[in-house]
């Protein structure tokens, strides 16, 4: 009898709960009831199907195009009402976009690719726009820096750049002797930072480890063990001694300099000249359902990218001020300015010009090249995240499914017609960059021949090789 | 009869619920016994009138000593974000958060004014809500709303279950193991499950309530359910046997028995449980918001931690103080309610 009564109450409870939630939603301060109704009552303006949007970002300076598009009114000019919301880490952000809490986000280039390939959460995400070139650096702890500094070739009283990861070899060896793993941090298994850090280590003869199918640790055969830490926590993790170095976007390298806990040794621009970095990503069904909204978003972001690079960076100081607001990147102005204004500080007293450190618009930075997506996939194969061989056509087909220059061109051409951006800002291309010789180890990359490229890399999986927990087999 | 429920509320003091003064001065605190109520002495204010000096002076001195020690010691703690902020810096950040709120209100007013102008001029066809960043006050309000929803849900589920468990030893025995296992589970363990379930269940593009809000509220509910449930069960079980006998003589039906006898006599217990639940809910909420990045005070703290600017620590400390003050205020409100229902009880 008691059980029956309990159930009865429970059912009634659920109904009451629903009533309460409705009441709460009605009087909630966030609702702004009357305005919301006004928004729904009036008809949507021409072409914009969904004007109220929420975009996610991670607290990094390369989210600048989104902040600028909002703060300088570019979103609003396109008829969009955008809320920008910082996310805790890349996983939360990715789930937000896939789950629909976020309409789009500032994303790692590898994320929409991996989601489409089904590595991690499987979902159809697309990248209709690339947000920037470069913008990352690798930092080591003061302890490691003091151990390697003495052996570095010098140039004019300062270490000669680029610094090869080979310099780390003795340190890694001494760690091994003491039975301790040498650990470094990056931000996500499919992040640019993971691949850049791996590229740098491998180019210096250190193996960063392979991924067995399905795992996300990636430490099989590793000389250096890499682990995931969200960007803003990177300096704190380094300071805590959990890792000896990391690869991360700005301002978190300059933050280490500022806090005197680490020294940046190389920027990603020195690892791979003008490498593609973050993308703006949305769900594929979002783009299909709301083509007008998608184009309007892209137009606003492209305008913001142009603003960021206009007149040789004349607007950068203002951008730094906006980014330092607590609701955006939130770091101190001086820290953000340290990389955003054409200079990069390696250690106190060693500030060097780095005009290409953050490129948002120039060099066709916004165009989502297929070859960029293919490079990321070659690295996924190289380190075992793609467990099996595929032919070149497969790589190209996957790249075309994720990277969507058609959407970019539609938006950018609209801006050219309105004479907002110059026609030269849109590249004449079939989506493949010419053979790229910009890598620090000199290995050329041809986006049309991913398999040949994978074979040409010294450390990494080759044709036919597989990774098991005990090591690499086959090939 | 109370012994039958000794298991479900092992540490609830078996006490005559009619002993009013005892019930609210030293309320039975099963789940959160460690959370000693700081307000206990203040309740008997009348009794302390003669010693007003002590009840007023001592707390003031305590707070001053704390502030003094904080101010003296903070500068010597060096973090990578600079020295630990003292009370003055924290107060300054409080002021600056207030100014940000004012600035945001101005921006909001300006946004609506400009929008109205554009709509009037015909360049914009549709009115939007202001989409600026949430201010500290917005986050506080969001947190309060979330905890309110979670708390209401918890009460709505826990009180009927508790009554059922108190009245039926069979039902009590049935749910006891589940209650005992669920009770100590941390909100952080619930979070991934709730997140995945809610994400799968709410799939409309424009849900009535934001997903994040529902997730936080449900986590609060799951964690704050237990004190109310257990206290209700104990309160119901410890009802005076004579009363039940009288009810039987008067041939009261089940509903009458519940409303005339059981509920009135177990109300003090229920409210004690609810008060504990609210305290638990508030603590849980901050953790849930922090981890799940749901809007609210927890997100404010986490965002500031991620910012790592030179003001971040002071702002976080300010938030900590506000969290404490709100928790204290909520506890006081529940205590007042509890006192009210105990006093009006006529049995």
């Amino acid at each position: 009898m008691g059980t029956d009564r309990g159930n009865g109450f429970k059912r009634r409870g659920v109904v009451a709960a629903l009533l309460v939630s409705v009441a709460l939603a009605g009087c909630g301060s966030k609702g702004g009831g009357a305005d919301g109704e006004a928004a729904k009552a009036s008809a949507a303006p021409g072409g914009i199907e969904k004007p109220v949007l929420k975009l996610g970002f991670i607290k990094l300076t390369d989210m600048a195009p989104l902040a600028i598009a909002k703060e300088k009114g570019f979103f609003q000019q396109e008829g969009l009402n955008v809320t920008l919301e910082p996310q805790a880490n890349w996983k939360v952000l990715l789930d937000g976009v896939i789950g629909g809490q976020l309409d789009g986000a500032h994303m790692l280039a590898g994320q929409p690719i991996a989601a489409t390939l089904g590595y991690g959460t499987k979902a159809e995400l697309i990248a209709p726009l690339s947000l920037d070139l470069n913008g990352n650096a690798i930092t080591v702890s003061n302890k490691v820096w003091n151990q390697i500094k003495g052996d570095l070739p010098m140039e004019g009283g300062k270490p000669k750049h680029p610094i090869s990861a080979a310099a780390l070899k003795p340190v890694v060896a001494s760690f091994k002797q003491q039975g301790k793993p040498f650990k470094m941090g990056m931000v996500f298994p499919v992040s640019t930072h993971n691949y850049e850090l791996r590229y740098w280590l491998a180019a210096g003869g250190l193996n960063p480890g392979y991924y067995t199918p399905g795992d996300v640790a990636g430490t099989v055969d590793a000389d250096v063990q890499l682990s995931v830490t969200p960007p803003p926590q990177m300096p704190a993790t380094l300071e805590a001694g959990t890792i000896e170095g990391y690869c991360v976007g700005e301002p978190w390298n300059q933050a280490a300099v500022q806090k005197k806990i680490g020294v940046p040794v190389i920027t990603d621009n020195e690892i791979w000249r003008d490498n593609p970095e973050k993308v703006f990503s949305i769900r594929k069904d979002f783009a299909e359902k709301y083509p007008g909204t998608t184009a309007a978003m892209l137009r606003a972001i492209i305008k913001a990218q142009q603003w960021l690079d206009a007149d040789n960076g004349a607007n950068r100081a203002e951008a730094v001020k906006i980014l330092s607001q607590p609701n955006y990147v939130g770091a101190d102005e001086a820290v953000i300015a340290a990389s955003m204004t054409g200079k990069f500080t390696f250690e106190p007293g060693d500030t060097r010009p780095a005009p290409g450190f953050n490129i948002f618009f120039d060099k066709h930075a916004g165009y989502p090249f297929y070859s960029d997506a293919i490079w990321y996939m070659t690295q996924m194969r190289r380190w075992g995240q793609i467990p099996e061989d595929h032919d070149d056509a497969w790589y190209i087909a996957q790249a075309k499914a994720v990277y969507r220059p058609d959407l970019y061109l539609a938006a950018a051409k609209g801006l050219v017609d309105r004479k907002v951006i110059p026609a030269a800002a849109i590249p004449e291309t079939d989506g493949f960059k010419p053979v790229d010789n910009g890598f620090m180890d000199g290995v050329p990359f041809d986006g049309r021949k991913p398999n040949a490229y994978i074979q040409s890399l010294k450390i990494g999986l080759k044709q036919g090789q597989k990774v098991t927990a005990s090591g690499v087999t086959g090939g | 009869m109370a012994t039958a429920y000794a298991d479900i509320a092992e540490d609830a003091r078996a006490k005559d619920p009619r002993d009013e003064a005892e019930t609210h001065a030293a309320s039975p605190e099963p789940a959160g016994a460690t959370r000693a109520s700081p307000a206990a002495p203040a309740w008997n204010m009348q009794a302390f009138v003669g010693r007003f000096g002590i009840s007023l002076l001592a707390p003031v001195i305590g707070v001053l000593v704390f502030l003094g020690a904080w101010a003296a010691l903070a500068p010597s703690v060096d973090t990578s974000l600079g020295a630990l902020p003292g009370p003055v810096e924290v107060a300054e950040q409080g002021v600056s958060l207030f100014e940000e709120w004012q600035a945001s209100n101005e921006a909001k007013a300006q946004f609506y004014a400009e929008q109205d102008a554009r709509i009037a001029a015909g360049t914009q066809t549709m009115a939007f809500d202001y989409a600026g960043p949430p201010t500290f006050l917005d986050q506080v309000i969001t947190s309060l709303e979330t905890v309110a929803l979670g708390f209401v849900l918890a009460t709505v589920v826990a009180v009927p279950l508790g009554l059922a468990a108190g009245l039926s030893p069979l039902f009590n025995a049935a749910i006891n193991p589940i209650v005992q296992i669920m009770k100590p589970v941390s909100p952080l363990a619930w979070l991934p499950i709730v997140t995945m379930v809610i994400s799968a269940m709410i799939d409309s593009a424009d849900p009535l309530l934001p997903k994040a809000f529902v997730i936080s509220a449900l986590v609060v509910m799951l964690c704050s359910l237990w004190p109310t449930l257990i206290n209700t069960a104990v309160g119901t079980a410890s009802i005076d046997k004579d009363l039940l006998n009288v009810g039987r003589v008067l041939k009261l039906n089940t509903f009458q028995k519940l409303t005339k006898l059981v509920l009135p006599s177990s109300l003090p217990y229920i409210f004690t449980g609810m008060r504990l639940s609210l305290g638990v809910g508030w603590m849980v909420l901050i953790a849930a918001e922090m981890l799940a990045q749901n809007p609210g005070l927890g997100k404010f703290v986490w965002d500031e931690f991620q910012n790592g600017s030179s003001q971040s620590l002071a702002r976080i400390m300010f938030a900590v103080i506000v969290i404490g003050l709100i928790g204290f205020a909520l506890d006081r409100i529940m205590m007042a309610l509890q006192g009210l229902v105990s006093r009006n009880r006529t049995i």
Side-chain angles (χ1 to χ4, degrees), chain A residues 17 35 59 76 81 86 99, chain B residues 118 129 153 160 211 299 307 310:
Chain A
D35 305 308
K59 289 176 176 278
Q76 190 221 316
N81 189 36
Chain B
R118 278 196 305 272
D129 289 338
L153 287 178
K211 272 184 200 177
K299 174 142 173 85
N307 283 351
S310 36

Side-chain angles (χ1 to χ4, degrees), chain B residues 103-140:
Chain B
S104 144
N105 279 352
E106 277 165 34
K108 201 187 252 176
Q110 195 192 352
F111 171 85
Y112 283 122
E114 285 176 4
Q115 174 166 280
D116 289 344
R118 278 196 305 272
I119 291 173
T123 49
Q124 189 179 335
T125 51
M126 196 173 164
F128 293 132
D129 289 338
Y130 176 66
T135 61
F136 185 67
L137 193 70
D138 295 333
Q139 305 279 40
V140 171

Side-chain angles (χ1 to χ4, degrees), chain A residues 299-356:
Chain A
R299 284 196 299 270
I301 297 172
I302 293 170
K303 281 197 247 178
Q305 289 180 306
Q306 183 187 30
W307 185 90
L308 276 162
D309 278 6
D311 309 320
N312 279 323
N315 294 328
R316 287 292 178 95
E318 191 184 341
V320 167
K321 210 168 216 121
I322 291 172
L323 289 179
S324 69
Q325 291 175 15
N327 52 313
Y328 295 126
V329 181
D332 288 342
E333 239 180 282
V335 176
I336 298 177
S339 71
M340 282 282 282
T341 48
K343 295 188 301 278
F344 193 84
T345 303
F346 288 88
E347 54 181 329
D350 186 2
T351 301
R352 307 188 189 200

Side-chain angles (χ1 to χ4, degrees), chain A residues 5 9 13 17 28-30 35 39 45 51 59 70 76 81 83 86 88 99 233 239 252 259 326-327 329-330 332, chain B residues 80 118 125-129 131 133 141 145 149 153 156 160 167 209 211 254 293 299 302-304 306-307 309-310:
Chain A
R5 194 181 296 127
F9 270 110
S29 70
K30 304 179 298 302
D35 305 308
K59 289 176 176 278
K70 177 161 170 73
Q76 190 221 316
N81 189 36
T83 309
Q233 273 114 276
E239 202 180 6
W252 308 113
K259 295 172 179 178
N327 52 313
V329 181
D332 288 342
Chain B
S80 58
R118 278 196 305 272
T125 51
M126 196 173 164
F128 293 132
D129 289 338
I141 292 169
E145 285 175 356
L149 178 60
L153 287 178
V156 161
L167 289 174
L209 289 170
K211 272 184 200 177
T254 312
Q293 290 290 292
K299 174 142 173 85
W302 196 250
D303 279 351
E304 281 300 334
Q306 294 207 317
N307 283 351
S309 77
S310 36

